[in-house]
């Protein structure tokens, strides 16, 4: 009877557990709000922080509206250029999320297809791919991303690089994270491959591609979802770190990391808001994604419960 | 003297579907030196009772009522610290799998000495001497030389002996043995059982033996309690309960046990399986019926046979399966750099034939190569020498066999584990439709659905099952869905690899009956692989015995079971619990 | 055992060759080495002569062989940007990074292991849950944000600790160390903490999940069923089994520390290899990048090799199989 309970649908079980975890619910709510805010930035932001004509240097370094010297026009204050910080944060979060999501999409598609193929076919392909993955894994993601970024600077000099920067960044982050997907997909495929439903399909003579896509893929989505959530947080973090280090997105389109870097320069002179608000946004975003990732991992791995 | 007395014990688990009662109002008692069998099918609550006695019931399970008295103390009232002091001293437990019950990082000596010193204040040296004496007692050769070995250096049977030594080293009065021989081969099982029996007699230890296997019960238990769905169905001395059961369930259960000494045409008094809690819709496919499926199968069998005869008339009288001088060698895991490593030889010199309508049993212990044989035939594993052919057509080694090979449809396989043989992410309809689409047997969607609903009825499943997912069914039901899937391929040869070893006895009987019926009806050949000789007896016309990848004996089933010629066959037959009291 | 070690060694050599191939590709094909080395005014003939003198016209395999040989003998070449020998540049910065990494590894182990054990053994306790929530924040806050906050709090607001550089160092041969002066230690605290926070949470979560896994095994249940002291079961039996996989990860973690030291060094202007690497990326200083890559890989390979050996010492199944 108990085992029959365990076999109840993953979907329903997920919902059941979710309804009992207020923290996960809160995280989902916050993440949804942030994502919605970021993607609606065009409409809800008071000003356009990318439009140089829309702000004035005279307005620079104004503290948040509720302080004595605050200005009602700028709820969270302004930066050194006179940009409205709230608008900059909304646009910055949009850029961070965009880079994070695209790079994760790239990493997952690449990693999962390589992983399933390696796991299913085994043999030499598997050995080579996994050796590459091992080597790359021994280099932490941030190092890989930095290296790829450095190479891109070497290959596309100057102005061309600035245009391509966001693409390069996305590819760099994606390439540094595909290994996690590949390893997870491979390990799960290994388990599934030896299950008898796959053997039944092989005996029939089904095409390997069909077996991988129709039979195996739906069965390994669980663990991949977990990596997806956890690595989304990592991707956002990587983008912020690279931008903070000044090798990420171009300065005229600040992401959260860029804003924090700019803010640090003013921290010592007491203009704390430029650092604090983007930092808080970033932390809240990553924490909520991480909480959801943790929830998924615990929920999909019954042994941890 | 009564050692353990359980009164009116009820254990519940809160679940998301509400309170689940694992066991309800159980009474049970064990005397000194008694081996008390606790038998029941999965979900009966056997292990829960063992856990309660040991005080190791896992949360969120809790004792809702009742008590457990041992030598005058009510164990359920003890606080955790006092209970822990009892474990080892008064209570011992043997787990199912000896491979996982010993800590791999510590030597046997270390584990034994820690345990002895935990309960008695003795010096390390005398604890070591005790440990050696114990290992000797449980039948470890050269105990003194082997005591400093690590667990992985012992074989499965020897490990279980070490486990027993670990349980004994503190002189418990009661031992809970939870499926102690289930993970072992029959020849080792018998010796472990004899060891347990001797211990009970010589040391006066009470043993609560939890098992699903009536054979084990019959072998050593003095008394037995039969459980079903958390309730006691019948209690009494072993011979009474097994030979003259009074309760309807026990009667059915006993009738479902395959006997090695007797071949039944069909099992009687099948215990009906609980129907799955059905969605109450009256969904059904019009025109679907078991007869329709039968009709379709017959018609297409004839059609396909005529086609085959037209193509290769010379071959039609050939055997369905001819295996000639077969060898399977697995490539080495780590190819050596210095010496040539040829890999592991799983099968060698295998020869046999299988004719239309015949059932060939393949028996052997674990590691004998039974499953490898099945895999080599269907092409999941490459054979390295010899040949396999079907109807005179060569079946190349798996990796060279064309995906479109004509024989792929004709050879179908039923697997051991019904929980993994169906894709959990596809509906039963999608699963069953696969062969029909793949082999272009039925093209219209409506016709397919009608046939699928019908074939489900043929295997005694409701047609509503089409819309569900495999995880909504029990093991026996899944196995019937798997049989339906194979049937839809219109196979000439069905390869059954341990098709019932994951199932409860009553469900096993049901599945075996179904296989027999289908085989009769459609005159298929079956290659029936099993470690369970009694099951093979029920199914096979002829038998092949495998040992370490080689054929030890083959011949007529009745002859094999009554007068085997090879020494190994005699040993196998001798070690299998005979259950002669059931005859 | 010997063949196990031999196999690991051979694997390490392969990894190093693969990484040096990447480094070589970087060096040779990203940008033109000659154009980087000489000024605009050098004539084409001179460039061509330089090209052949440097062997850039040789077959690629020869060039690669020379590249590997140079690396192996410590000939790392010159930086495009500073024109200094790369070997010296790295050597002068290596101690700073290693000391920073070592101290934060120590912090992460000393805090992470006990916390991991505690949260595994007291699975649903209030303190455990609080620690778990705290670590969730710990893995989520970017290293640089932690650094900035620490600087703001201890440097700017309280003025207790220095916020950049290594402070006073003592020279032992070529090795400049922080660890022998009070000022050096004061300078080390904030960067080491910054770098350590993420690693503490990682170590803790890892130990916790491994230990929970071990506590569920039959052999632990069997030990409990034999009435062995919970303390012995937890701290002797379960802990040893937990450490087997954890050792591997701790090895990998040192790698993580080296990588994240890039960020920390940038926040605290800590004159280590990370800062050097960052500069080499900003200024597309390819030779420095490729040498840094090889060096980091070497550190990883050596650590992994040590981990594998340690593994064999702890786990008899590896040791006795050979």
């Amino acid at each position: 009877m108990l085992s029959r309970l365990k076999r109840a649908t993953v979907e329903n079980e997920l919902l059941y557990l979710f309804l009992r975890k207020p923290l996960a619910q809160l995280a989902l709510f916050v993440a949804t709000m942030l994502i919605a805010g970021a993607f609606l930035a065009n409409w809800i932001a008071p000003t356009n922080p990318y439009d140089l004509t829309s702000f004035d240097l005279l307005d620079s370094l104004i503290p948040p509206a509720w302080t004595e010297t605050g200005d009602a026009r700028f709820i969270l204050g302004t930066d050194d250029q006179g940009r409205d910080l709230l608008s900059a944060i909304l646009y910055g979060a949009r850029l961070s999320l965009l880079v994070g999501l695209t790079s994760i999409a790239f990493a997952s598609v690449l990693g999962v297809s390589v992983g399933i193929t390696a796991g299913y076919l085994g043999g030499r392909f598997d050995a080579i791919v996994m050796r590459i993955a091992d080597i790359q894994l021994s280099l932490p993601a941030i190092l890989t991303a930095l290296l790829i970024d450095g190479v891109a600077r070497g290959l596309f000099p100057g102005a061309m690089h600035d245009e391509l920067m966001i693409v390069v960044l996305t590819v760099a982050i994606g390439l540094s994270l595909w290994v996690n997907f590949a390893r997870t997909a491979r390990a799960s495929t290994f388990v599934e491959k030896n299950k008898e439903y796959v053997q039944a399909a092989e005996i029939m003579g089904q095409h390997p591609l069909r077996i991988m896509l129709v039979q195996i893929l739906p069965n390994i989505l669980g663990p991949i979802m977990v990596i997806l959530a956890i690595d989304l947080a990592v991707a956002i973090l990587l983008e912020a770190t690279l931008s903070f280090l000044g090798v990420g997105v171009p300065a005229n389109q600040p992401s959260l990391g860029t804003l924090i870097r700019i803010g640090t320069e003013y921290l010592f002179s007491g203009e704390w808001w430029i650092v604090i608000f983007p930092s808080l946004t970033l932390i809240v975003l990553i924490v909520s994604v991480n909480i959801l990732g943790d929830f998924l991992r615990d929920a999909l791995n019954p042994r941890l419960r | 003297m009564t050692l353990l007395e359980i009164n009116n014990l009820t254990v519940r688990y809160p679940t998301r579907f509400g309170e689940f009662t694992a066991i309800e109002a159980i009474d049970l008692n064990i005397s000194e030196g008694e081996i008390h069998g606790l038998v029941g099918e999965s979900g009966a609550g056997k292990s829960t009772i063992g856990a309660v006695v040991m005080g190791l019931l896992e949360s969120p399970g809790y004792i809702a009522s009742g008590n457990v008295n041992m030598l005058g103390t009510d164990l359920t009232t003890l606080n955790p610290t006092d209970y822990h002091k009892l474990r080892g001293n008064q209570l011992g437990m043997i787990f199912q799998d000896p491979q996982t019950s010993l800590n791999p990082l510590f030597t046997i000596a270390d584990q034994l000495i820690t345990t002895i010193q935990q309960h008695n204040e003795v010096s390390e040296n005398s604890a070591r001497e005790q440990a050696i004496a114990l290992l000797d007692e449980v039948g470890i050769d050269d105990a003194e030389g082997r005591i400093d070995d690590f667990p992985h250096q012992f074989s499965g049977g020897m490990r279980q002996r070490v486990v027993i030594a670990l349980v004994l080293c503190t002189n418990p009065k009661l031992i809970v043995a939870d499926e102690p021989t289930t993970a072992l081969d029959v020849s080792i099982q018998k010796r472990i059982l004899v060891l347990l029996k001797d211990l009970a007699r010589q040391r006066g230890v009470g043993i609560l033996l939890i098992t699903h296997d009536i054979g084990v019960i019959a072998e050593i238990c003095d008394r037995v309690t039969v459980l079903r769905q958390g309730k006691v169905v019948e209690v009494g001395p072993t011979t009474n309960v097994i030979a003259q059961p009074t309760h309807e369930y026990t009667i059915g259960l006993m009738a479902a046990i395959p006997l090695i000494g007797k071949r039944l045409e069909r099992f009687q008094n099948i215990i009906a399986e609980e129907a799955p809690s059905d969605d109450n819709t009256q969904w059904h496919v019009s025109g679907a019926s078991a007869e329709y499926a039968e009709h379709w199968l017959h018609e297409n069998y004839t059609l396909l046979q005529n086609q085959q005869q037209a193509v290769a008339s010379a071959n039609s009288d050939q055997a369905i399966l001819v295996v000639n001088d077969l060898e399977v060698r697995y490539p080495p895991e780590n190819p050596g750099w210095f010496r040539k490593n040829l890999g592991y030889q799983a099968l060698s010199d295998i020869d046999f034939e299988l004719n239309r309508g015949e059932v060939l049993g393949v028996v052997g212990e674990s590691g004998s190569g039974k499953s490898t044989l099945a895999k080599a035939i269907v092409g999941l594993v490459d054979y390295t020498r010899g040949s396999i052919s079907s109807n005179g057509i060569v079946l190349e080694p798996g990796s060279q066999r064309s995906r479109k090979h004509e024989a792929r449809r004709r050879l179908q396989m039923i697997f051991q584990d019904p929980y993994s043989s169906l894709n959990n992410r596809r509906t039963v309809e999608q699963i069953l439709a696969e062969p029909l689409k793949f082999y272009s047997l039925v093209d219209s969607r409506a016709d397919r659905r009608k046939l699928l609903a019908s074939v489900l009825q043929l295997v005694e499943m409701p047609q509503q099952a089409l819309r569900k997912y495999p995880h909504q069914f029990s093991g026996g039901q899944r196995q019937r869905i798997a049989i339906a899937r194979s049937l839809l391929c219109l196979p000439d040869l069905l390869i059954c690899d341990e098709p019932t070893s994951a199932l409860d006895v009553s469900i096993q009987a049901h599945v075996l009956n179904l296989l027999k019926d289908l085989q009769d009806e459609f005159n298929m050949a079956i290659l029936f692989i099993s470690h369970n000789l009694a099951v093979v007896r029920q199914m096979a016309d002829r038998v092949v015995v495998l040992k370490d990848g080689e054929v030890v004996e083959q011949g007529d089933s009745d002859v094999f079971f009554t007068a085997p010629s090879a020494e190994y066959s005699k040993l196998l037959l001798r070690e299998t619990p005979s259950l002669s009291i059931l005859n | 055992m010997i063949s196990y070690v031999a196999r690991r060694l051979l694997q390490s050599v392969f990894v190093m060759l693969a990484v040096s191939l990447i480094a070589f590709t970087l060096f040779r094909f990203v940008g033109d080495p000659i154009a980087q080395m000489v000024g605009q005014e050098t004539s084409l003939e001179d460039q061509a002569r330089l090209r052949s003198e440097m062997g850039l016209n040789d077959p690629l395999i020869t060039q690669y062989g020379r590249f590997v040989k140079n690396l192996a003998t410590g000939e790392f070449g010159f930086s495009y940007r500073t024109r200094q020998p790369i070997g010296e540049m790295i050597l002068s910065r290596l101690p700073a990074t290693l000391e920073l990494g070592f101290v934060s590894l120590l912090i992460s182990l000393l805090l992470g292991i006990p916390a991991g054990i505690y949260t595994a053994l007291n699975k649903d306790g209030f303190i455990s849950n609080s620690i778990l929530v705290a670590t969730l924040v710990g893995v989520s806050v970017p290293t640089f944000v932690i650094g900035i906050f620490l600087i703001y709090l201890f440097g700017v607001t309280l003025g207790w600790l220095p916020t950049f550089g290594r402070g006073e160092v003592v020279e032992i041969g070529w090795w400049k160390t922080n660890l022998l002066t009070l000022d050096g230690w004061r300078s080390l605290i904030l960067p080491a903490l910054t770098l350590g926070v993420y690693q503490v949470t990682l170590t803790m979560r890892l130990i916790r999940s491994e230990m929970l896994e071990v506590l569920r095994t039959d052999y632990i249940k069997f030990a409990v069923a034999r009435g062995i002291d919970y303390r012995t079961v937890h701290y002797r039996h379960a802990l040893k089994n937990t450490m087997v996989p954890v050792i591997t990860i701790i090895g990998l973690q040192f790698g993580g520390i080296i990588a994240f030291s890039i960020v920390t060094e940038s926040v605290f202007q800590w004159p280590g290899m990370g800062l050097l690497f960052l500069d080499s990326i900003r200024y597309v200083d390819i030779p420095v990048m490729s040498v840094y890559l090889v060096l980091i890989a070497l550190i990883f390979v050596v650590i992994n090799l040590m981990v594998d050996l340690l593994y064999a010492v702890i786990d008899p199944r590896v040791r006795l199989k050979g």
Side-chain angles (χ1 to χ4, degrees), chain B residues 54 56 58 84 87-89 91-95 97 100-106 110-111 114-115 118-119 150 152-153 163 166-167 170 334 337, chain C residues 3 6-7 10 217-230 232-233 236-238 240-242 244 314-321:
Chain B
M54 291 302 295
L56 295 174
E58 283 187 29
H84 195 59
R87 287 194 277 267
N89 262 334
L91 300 166
M93 179 154 183
I94 301 172
F95 288 79
D97 190 355
T100 58
S101 11
L102 297 169
N103 193 326
L105 301 188
F106 293 88
D110 193 316
Q111 304 190 35
T114 318
T115 313
Q118 180 73 47
H119 296 284
F150 286 92
H152 74 271
Q153 292 167 291
V163 167
L166 270 165
V167 171
T170 52
N334 289 310
W337 301 339
Chain C
S3 87
R7 208 160 46 229
L10 198 79
T217 57
D218 274 357
Y219 54 82
I220 294 299
K221 286 187 191 153
F222 186 35
V224 170
R226 295 203 302 274
I228 304 208
D229 248 349
Y230 276 110
T232 316
V233 173
R236 205 168 107 79
H237 294 209
K240 189 164 180 182
N241 291 290
T242 303
V244 173
I314 291 192
D315 193 337
R317 287 165 297 187
V318 177
R319 190 189 336 140
L320 299 173
K321 246 194 189 151

Side-chain angles (χ1 to χ4, degrees), chain A residues 96-123:
Chain A
S96 297
L97 275 166
L98 205 66
V99 172
L101 288 170
T102 333
S103 56
I104 277 300
F106 174 61
S108 58
V109 170
L110 176 67
V112 170
S113 22
V114 169
I116 291 192
T117 317
Y120 184 68
L121 297 182

Side-chain angles (χ1 to χ4, degrees), chain A residues 262-281:
Chain A
I262 298 168
T264 357
E265 292 164 27
Y266 297 90
L267 189 59
F268 293 91
S269 48
E271 281 95 13
W272 50 271
W273 57 93
I274 312 179
V275 168
I276 297 292
F277 295 122
S279 296
L280 283 182
T281 314

Side-chain angles (χ1 to χ4, degrees), chain A residues 138 245 290-291 294 303, chain C residues 26 136 140 205 216 282 300:
Chain A
S138 69
L245 293 175
N290 264 335
I291 290 176
D294 260 30
R303 284 179 310 166
Chain C
L26 271 183
L136 203 65
S140 304
R205 293 175 138 238
R216 248 186 309 270
R282 282 207 192 100
F300 285 128

